[in-house]
Amino acid sequence: MRPLLRRLLPALCSAAARAVLARRAVPMALRPAEGAARAGVDARSAAPEHDGLENIQQKKIFKENMEKTQQSEEPCAADSVDSLMAEMPFVDTDIEDEHAMLATSELSIKKKRKRTTGREIEEGTERKKKKNKQCQPNYFISLPITNPKITGSIQAVQDAIVQKDQRLSKAMVRSGSLHVTMFVMHLSSEEEISIAVGALSDSKVFVDDLLKGKRVDLSFQGIDHFRNQVGFVNLAENDHTALLKEIAETMKKIFQEKGIMAGEERAFKPHLTFMKLSKSTELRKQVKKIDSSLYEDFKNHYFGDEILHRFDLCSMLKKKQPNGYYYCESSIVFGKSHEADLVKEALRRETQALLPRLNQIKELLTSPEIRTKISKELFEDRHNSNSKWKSCIDSESPNA
């Protein structure tokens, strides 16, 4: 700032001096006239010889004033500039320091604003996560897989994969849980569950109209994956698969018209999931990706056909049924023999529930100790029976 003031102060100094001396110069210029007026008055009373002396004095005074005016118009000396600068405020402040202070202040404001914005972003993210958590799907429409050929083939694939990598046993989907997800939804109350049950019931009329009494055979062939996180069996592309997609879209619209948040933005791709890393948190830490070479032998394997006969409204969170299938709120059945299908499915579920007990009994019977014990008890019972029969005959008892 000091260099800047040095450049500006001479001009300021000269302008200020002109203004001050201008005020002084006007009365000084008028003094000869005033003296002349007084001289005229005094001339009537004074002697004539005084006129010359007064004129000489006036000229001398006027000359001195002119000399002072010329001296004042000369540039200010360096000492006077320094003295004036010393009296000015912020004389010791450097312009670079001022700029640095301003930049620091602006930087501080930006940092503060950034911190504030960061907090706002974090709070917004937390609110968004909370909102997303509240809106996460917890129900879905399921197409259950009941064909033993399909479930058996998938079990064989799962066994082959686990033999190569034991850790993936936690990722396998139980045969009782195998299904095709038509679409998902979020139901936050019993009232919404009731509305969804009604929407599923209303869907039957529209689905029947699309089916027109035809049987839909869904062929499952080949294995694929989603980002090496999920393994699934493909649904072969044909007219029946296209009809299934149309059914899914129709049902989704019916649920949405009822006010249910159903479906996803991405296009519907029907598939049969048999393995996923998300089933176990510990597994996700150990295995980041599923190696596709583990199921290379089944890449194009034909698993079988599933006849479309039922849709279920299932819960993702409620306790599963004993056979491993999801908790079911409601169902709609298709085809001519609805009741027969329901009975068959009920028997199948009961049989699957009893299978673990039957397997335990088989294991017990294969044990040598148990078989020896059973044989001994049977032999003893037979021997005792024969002894009683013989004694009755010998005694000729009427009971014999």
Side-chain angles (χ1 to χ4, degrees):
M1 185 174 283
R2 186 180 293 273
L4 180 61
L5 291 175
R6 284 184 178 277
R7 291 195 298 270
L8 294 177
L9 273 177
L12 293 173
C13 217
S14 177
R18 286 196 190 98
V20 172
L21 293 175
R23 288 195 299 270
R24 292 180 181 176
V26 172
M28 295 296 289
L30 291 175
R31 283 177 186 174
E34 292 175 358
R38 286 194 297 270
V41 174
D42 296 336
R44 290 189 292 267
S45 58
E49 61 268 12
H50 292 167
D51 294 340
L53 183 59
E54 290 178 357
N55 289 334
I56 293 170
Q57 291 177 348
Q58 289 174 0
K59 288 180 181 180
K60 186 177 180 181
I61 293 170
F62 183 77
K63 187 177 180 181
E64 291 176 357
N65 289 339
M66 290 299 293
E67 290 176 356
K68 289 181 180 180
T69 302
Q70 290 176 358
Q71 291 176 1
S72 64
E73 288 179 355
E74 292 179 359
C76 297
D79 294 339
S80 62
V81 172
D82 291 338
S83 62
L84 286 172
M85 285 178 61
E87 295 177 2
M88 295 194 69
F90 310 113
V91 68
D92 295 328
T93 305
D94 192 355
I95 188 71
E96 294 180 359
D97 294 338
E98 282 287 329
H99 180 70
M101 289 171 61
L102 180 61
T104 305
S105 177
E106 290 178 354
L107 184 61
S108 177
I109 293 171
K110 285 182 180 179
K111 286 184 178 180
K112 186 176 181 181
R113 188 178 300 163
K114 188 175 181 180
R115 287 195 297 270
T116 306
T117 308
R119 286 196 298 270
E120 290 175 355
I121 292 172
E122 290 176 0
E123 291 174 0
T125 305
E126 290 177 0
R127 286 195 297 269
K128 189 174 181 181
K129 286 181 179 180
K130 188 175 181 180
K131 185 178 180 181
N132 290 339
K133 190 175 182 180
Q134 291 174 350
C135 298
Q136 282 181 351
N138 56 355
Y139 277 83
F140 65 100
I141 297 298
S142 167
L143 190 165
I145 303 301
T146 58
N147 185 351
K149 182 179 179 181
I150 298 176
T151 57
S153 297
I154 289 177
Q155 184 66 54
V157 174
Q158 291 174 333
D159 292 342
I161 293 173
V162 172
Q163 284 181 359
K164 296 176 182 178
D165 192 341
Q166 291 286 338
R167 298 174 300 174
L168 293 176
S169 61
K170 298 178 181 179
M172 299 305 169
V173 178
R174 290 179 57 182
S175 59
S177 300
L178 294 174
H179 69 280
V180 174
T181 300
M182 299 295 287
F183 56 88
V184 297
M185 69 196 76
H186 178 79
L187 305 176
S188 58
S189 63
E190 290 297 328
E191 181 181 358
E192 289 189 355
I193 294 173
S194 179
I195 294 172
V197 170
L200 179 62
S201 179
D202 293 345
S203 301
K204 187 179 185 311
V205 178
F206 294 92
V207 175
D208 281 333
D209 186 55
L210 290 171
L211 293 176
K212 297 177 181 178
K214 297 178 182 178
R215 192 177 84 167
V216 178
D217 294 328
L218 304 173
S219 297
F220 292 90
Q221 183 173 5
I223 294 179
D224 205 345
H225 64 87
F226 291 132
R227 301 185 301 276
N228 294 106
Q229 302 292 309
V230 177
F232 61 88
V233 178
N234 278 315
L235 196 58
E237 290 290 341
N238 51 37
D239 294 341
H240 290 186
T241 305
L243 180 58
L244 182 68
K245 293 180 179 179
E246 188 177 357
I247 291 171
E249 191 64 26
T250 301
M251 294 179 66
K252 185 171 68 174
K253 288 181 180 178
I254 293 171
F255 275 76
Q256 290 174 347
E257 288 173 358
K258 297 278 187 179
I260 301 297
M261 298 171 57
E264 296 177 303
E265 294 181 359
R266 58 187 178 185
F268 172 55
K269 182 181 179 180
H271 60 278
L272 174 55
T273 300
F274 67 89
M275 171 177 58
K276 52 185 178 180
L277 294 179
S278 60
K279 282 182 64 67
S280 173
T281 306
E282 296 179 359
L283 181 62
R284 290 289 293 272
K285 297 178 181 178
Q286 299 173 2
V287 182
K288 301 300 181 182
K289 290 184 179 181
I290 299 173
D291 187 0
S292 59
S293 64
L294 297 175
Y295 50 81
E296 186 67 31
D297 297 339
F298 300 90
K299 276 279 188 180
N300 301 311
H301 181 74
Y302 171 70
F303 290 83
D305 290 356
E306 178 72 29
I307 299 173
L308 175 62
H309 68 284
R310 192 177 89 237
F311 287 131
D312 300 323
L313 174 61
C314 296
S315 170
M316 298 180 185
L317 305 178
K318 292 184 179 180
K319 187 178 179 180
K320 291 184 177 181
Q321 301 179 29
N323 63 349
Y325 192 64
Y326 296 87
Y327 182 89
C328 183
E329 298 283 355
S330 180
S331 302
I332 54 174
V333 182
F334 309 101
K336 296 181 180 179
S337 56
H338 293 172
E339 294 182 359
D341 287 339
L342 287 173
V343 172
K344 183 179 178 180
E345 179 61 20
L347 289 173
R348 186 187 71 83
R349 291 182 180 181
E350 291 296 329
T351 303
Q352 287 188 347
L354 291 173
L355 281 176
R357 297 181 183 178
L358 292 173
N359 291 331
Q360 289 179 356
I361 293 172
K362 286 174 93 175
E363 289 179 1
L364 288 173
L365 292 176
T366 55
S367 174
E369 296 178 358
I370 299 297
R371 294 184 67 176
T372 302
K373 187 176 180 180
I374 292 173
S375 299
K376 185 177 179 181
E377 290 179 355
L378 289 173
F379 178 77
E380 290 177 354
D381 289 343
R382 185 178 177 185
H383 178 72
N384 292 335
S385 178
N386 289 337
S387 299
K388 289 181 181 179
W389 177 256
K390 186 177 181 180
S391 62
C392 288
I393 292 175
D394 293 341
S395 62
E396 296 181 356
S397 170
N399 294 331

